[in-house]
Amino acid sequence: MPAHYPFSAVVTSGDDDPMATALVLTTISPAIGGVLVRGEKGTAKSTIVRALAAVLPPIDVVAGDRFSSDPADPAPRSPDGPFGPEVGVETRPVRLVELPVGATEDRVLGSLHLERALSEGSAEYEPGLLARAHRGILYVDEVNLLHDHLVDLLLDAAAMGSSTVERDGVSVVHDARFVLVGTMNPEEGELRPQLLDRFGLTVEVAAPRDPARRVEVVRRRLAHDADPDGFAASYAEAEAALTARILAARGAVDHVVLSDTALLRIAEICAAFEVDGMRADIVLARAAVAHAAWHGRDRVARPDIRAAAILALPHRRRRNPFDAPGLDTELLDRLLDGFEPDPPEPDPEPPTGGDDGDGGGDTPTGGSDGPEGPDGSGDPAADVPSPGGSAADRPGGADGSDGSDGGGTGHEGEPAPAPGAPRDAEAPAGPGAASATTVGAGTPYTPRLFTVAGTGTGEAGRRSRAVTAAGRRTGARRHEPGAGGGVDLGETIRAAVPHQWARGRRPGGRLRLGTDDLRVATRVGQEANLVLFCVDASGSMAARRRMEQVKTAILSLLLDAYQRRDKVGLVTFGGDSADLVLPPTGSVDVAATRLAELPAGGRTPLAEGLLLADRVLARERVRDPRRRPLLVVVTDGRATAGADPVARSRRVAAHLAEQGTAGVVVDCEAGPFRLGLAGVLAQHLRAEHVPIAEVSATALTSAVKERVA
């Protein structure tokens, strides 16, 4: 197997690297609660997480124990125990356990060992991924795409240090202490704020903009791909030094003094940033202690609190998905003014030969003629990150999981105004559209719930009724190979009972089961839907109040869709064409930004808007055939662009109706004289027609929410 990309081979900017720092701190003190890494694709999120396991000190485990119990633990919670003094000890590397996005609850928690239950009639527990990850790293790539109930399981286990399994006739409690690391691309959807708060630390990463550093990233990537073993060997000394430093910090963390003055300052910082609850205070204190141990200090000092706050607080300040992540560092520095003077920095030689935030250059690849490290040593690991400040560059993912061969990390700039915030700026929409105006949305509100009629089979969500892997049990069905679902022991036994005599069972004998007897529970839960907005952005909609109300309603539905795990798309038509402003997505941040920039003006190409909506829905049916869509057309019904625009738009509407597209037409026609064109369009679309005198945000939301497909 080719050697992995070394952790110490990352290219840094000279300042401390937040991503690597956060990962190191959680390995020093796992009680911090894990790390969430947010960033664009190609920023080596997966690469550095996988490389982390290789620099962690090996661990001792009880020989033969499937749950990696610590021999020094006087009372390990292991279903394979108890262990006597004669049981041996094994030393092995720390495991990196990857949790696939499509994993089932059975795979995560463990469940009944089906093979032995069917062949031997014994109820034996088969460990899941949480058991395998005990005392290691549990890595979830694209954690934002993982279903909420699985994320809850992971975070609860990470917080409690144990996993409790009560299912399928099995009752088991085992230790599950691990470092939880999640990575995500915000463009593909957000995590709920409640889940964000359960991650101890979070970092924002972005690709570098400095060409010199990008060159160094590519150079190292190519060097590794050409000779993985040789490249890893050139960093072996730096990796060993980093391992020793982590081991020393782990031994020192329990002896670091966290004074009452430091605790009071931590509480003042959390109160000033208005974070909810007490979890932020606890995490910040633990991270500051780990940071001090990492730097060889025996007391928590100002740099430790500052670095910990930058990692522990930004994601806890988000009140809703439209809030920009980030932290006001000027306010943080003011809150830290007057804190006890920084103690003299210890002067041990850093194990990796790197700087601790005083600047420096990039580290050369093995075998290249790059510049020396910032301390002039030329150590290839000279920029191993330490806690603190700005972003750092990184190589591309060694396994290609990030979709790029290069990338970088870094803090984002100053927090931008929340997408969707009211704006009064007017700007042209493009060439030939000088009269177009851009109006901002008002404050979003909580809309009422709407559901699609019937029972679907789509992806689990929080909206419409559907048959899903999780939910209320309604019955049982025969097990199908490859299909998920928990075993229904009662129904399995009932299916086997009529065949016992034919299978040779006699009174007092063991129950004889066959594969055809296996039954799994049928559960009804909730599914996620696709809501596609087709919005008229022509001149007739350009009235400031009208467009503001439309945007406010859509923004509110976006927020609701985010909370219910729906996908939302936005098609607009105006001028001479239609545009797919927002392809179907779960990312409310991107959706709100696109909506805020939506202009209005020009003619009304209604047919083009409906045609584009039809193409989007057709593509989504192929991509995700189980997700049921709802088309929401917001228009006054006028069609003024193209040849025979009225007849053409009605033909397209009839075609959509033939495809079985569920829809609602919101009539935006205003004024004393009305043509009723939107009502006619609704008839051809076979959609519900909602006539309103004005585009009221409340009325629009109510119309969409109450629509039954």
Side-chain angles (χ1 to χ4, degrees):
M1 175 180 292
H4 63 82
Y5 200 98
F7 188 88
S8 55
V10 296
V11 180
T12 67
S13 62
D15 287 334
D16 298 333
D17 175 43
M19 180 175 173
T21 297
L23 293 173
V24 168
L25 294 185
T26 54
T27 60
I28 294 172
S29 178
I32 289 174
V35 180
L36 175 66
V37 183
R38 296 161 43 90
E40 59 195 29
K41 56 185 178 292
T43 50
K45 301 184 296 291
S46 300
T47 298
I48 196 168
V49 173
R50 294 187 176 99
L52 176 64
V55 298
L56 296 183
I59 59 174
D60 293 333
V61 299
V62 175
D65 178 36
R66 296 175 297 169
F67 298 85
S68 302
S69 297
D70 186 351
D73 190 343
R77 286 176 292 186
S78 171
D80 290 350
F83 306 107
E86 70 282 356
V87 178
V89 176
E90 296 177 351
T91 301
R92 64 165 177 79
V94 171
R95 286 175 180 162
L96 174 70
V97 178
E98 297 192 40
L99 175 62
V101 171
T104 63
E105 187 174 340
D106 295 353
R107 188 71 187 97
V108 176
L109 290 178
S111 62
L112 184 70
H113 196 298
L114 292 181
E115 182 179 352
R116 294 187 179 178
L118 295 178
S119 62
E120 303 175 10
S122 61
E124 182 177 332
Y125 172 68
E126 183 177 14
L129 295 177
L130 293 184
R132 181 171 176 79
H134 178 46
R135 304 177 65 200
I137 301 173
L138 183 62
Y139 174 47
V140 187
D141 193 14
E142 305 298 348
V143 65
N144 52 321
L145 303 182
L146 195 66
H147 193 268
D148 289 346
H149 79 282
L150 292 183
V151 177
D152 290 336
L153 291 176
L154 298 182
L155 297 178
D156 287 341
M160 301 298 296
S162 63
S163 175
T164 302
V165 183
E166 296 284 353
R167 57 182 303 155
D168 301 336
V170 175
S171 179
V172 170
V173 178
H174 65 81
D175 288 326
R177 296 187 299 272
F178 49 81
V179 175
L180 177 62
V181 180
T183 57
M184 59 175 284
N185 182 353
E187 293 182 357
E188 297 174 348
E190 285 283 353
L191 281 174
R192 292 181 288 125
Q194 298 92 326
L195 298 183
L196 279 173
D197 182 63
R198 297 297 297 273
F199 281 95
L201 309 177
T202 186
V203 289
E204 299 281 336
V205 299
R209 298 296 179 257
D210 180 11
R213 284 192 276 148
R214 296 177 74 99
V215 167
E216 186 63 25
V217 168
V218 175
R219 182 181 294 119
R220 294 191 184 191
R221 180 76 262 173
L222 296 177
H224 175 268
D225 291 345
D227 184 10
D229 294 329
F231 185 81
S234 66
Y235 287 91
E237 184 177 349
E239 296 282 275
L242 181 56
T243 300
R245 185 178 178 186
I246 293 175
L247 187 61
R250 284 182 176 179
V253 71
D254 292 334
H255 305 289
V256 174
V257 176
L258 180 63
S259 66
D260 290 341
T261 304
L263 271 176
L264 179 60
R265 194 55 56 98
I266 288 172
E268 291 173 348
I269 291 172
C270 292
F273 282 106
E274 300 180 345
V275 296
D276 295 329
M278 296 299 298
R279 185 174 287 119
D281 303 62
I282 297 171
V283 170
L284 205 164
R286 287 172 173 166
V289 169
H291 189 273
W294 174 243
H295 279 276
R297 287 187 280 268
D298 58 3
R299 295 177 63 84
V300 171
R302 172 176 174 152
D304 305 317
I305 298 178
R306 187 182 191 279
I310 289 174
L311 296 173
L313 297 185
H315 60 299
R316 292 186 166 86
R317 297 186 62 247
R318 302 188 73 186
R319 292 297 186 271
N320 64 67
F322 308 121
D323 292 340
L327 198 69
D328 185 349
T329 55
E330 292 185 2
L331 174 59
L332 177 62
D333 289 335
R334 289 198 301 271
L335 293 169
L336 287 170
D337 284 345
F339 188 61
E340 58 185 359
D342 297 345
E345 291 290 335
D347 194 25
E349 182 179 351
T352 59
D355 64 87
D356 287 333
D358 294 326
D362 296 334
T363 308
T365 55
S368 72
D369 295 329
E372 293 183 349
D375 60 354
S377 64
D379 188 340
D383 285 331
V384 168
S386 301
S390 66
D393 305 338
R394 306 187 180 287
D399 59 351
S401 61
D402 285 338
S404 171
D405 286 344
T409 69
H411 288 308
E412 294 181 349
E414 291 297 323
R423 300 194 313 175
D424 292 329
E426 296 187 3
S435 61
T437 60
T438 300
V439 179
T443 303
Y445 51 85
T446 302
R448 296 185 306 174
L449 171 66
F450 81 96
T451 59
V452 177
T455 302
T457 58
E459 294 295 328
R462 292 173 173 263
R463 187 172 300 281
S464 301
R465 177 184 173 92
V467 176
T468 60
R472 179 172 56 86
R473 181 187 177 281
T474 58
R477 57 179 172 81
R478 186 187 299 273
H479 172 70
E480 299 176 1
V487 176
D488 190 318
L489 287 179
E491 294 298 328
T492 298
I493 293 174
R494 290 189 184 95
V497 165
H499 308 288
Q500 296 305 298
W501 186 264
R503 293 173 181 172
R505 182 189 177 191
R506 297 298 177 261
R510 178 178 295 176
L511 180 69
R512 300 195 175 187
L513 300 174
T515 55
D516 292 338
D517 301 330
L518 187 61
R519 299 291 186 272
V520 295
T522 300
R523 300 183 182 277
V524 172
Q526 292 177 310
E527 68 174 356
N529 299 110
L530 167 63
V531 180
L532 180 63
F533 290 92
C534 187
V535 180
D536 186 346
S538 64
S540 62
M541 300 290 292
R544 181 172 299 278
R545 183 182 178 190
R546 190 181 308 173
M547 182 53 73
E548 180 180 348
Q549 290 176 330
V550 169
K551 288 188 177 183
T552 301
I554 298 174
L555 197 66
S556 301
L557 292 173
L558 286 173
L559 176 59
D560 187 65
Y562 156 78
Q563 294 169 340
R564 301 185 185 282
R565 320 311 288 172
D566 289 327
K567 293 177 70 174
V568 178
L570 177 60
V571 171
T572 64
F573 52 94
D576 296 317
S577 62
D579 297 306
L580 179 59
V581 177
L582 177 70
T585 178
S587 176
V588 71
D589 286 344
V590 176
T593 301
R594 303 283 174 83
L595 181 68
E597 298 170 352
L598 177 65
R603 294 187 294 176
T604 310
L606 176 58
E608 281 69 19
L610 295 177
L611 279 172
L612 181 55
D614 179 54
R615 290 195 295 270
V616 172
L617 292 175
R619 183 166 60 246
E620 290 300 312
R621 289 191 191 100
V622 175
R623 182 177 299 169
D624 192 357
R626 298 190 301 161
R627 190 182 297 266
R628 295 185 291 172
L630 174 65
L631 175 63
V632 181
V633 183
V634 184
T635 181
D636 57 9
R638 290 184 174 87
T640 61
D644 197 6
V646 175
R648 186 162 173 257
S649 61
R650 293 174 180 176
R651 288 196 299 270
V652 178
H655 169 73
L656 279 165
E658 292 173 358
Q659 301 297 316
T661 304
V664 55
V665 175
V666 180
D667 190 349
C668 302
E669 190 173 25
F673 302 103
R674 304 181 187 179
L675 302 177
L677 297 177
V680 177
L681 176 66
Q683 293 177 5
H684 287 83
L685 194 58
R686 298 177 196 170
E688 182 178 353
H689 174 233
V690 183
I692 51 178
E694 298 181 8
V695 178
S696 167
T698 302
L700 173 59
T701 302
S702 299
V704 176
K705 293 290 184 178
E706 294 172 352
R707 173 68 175 95
V708 178

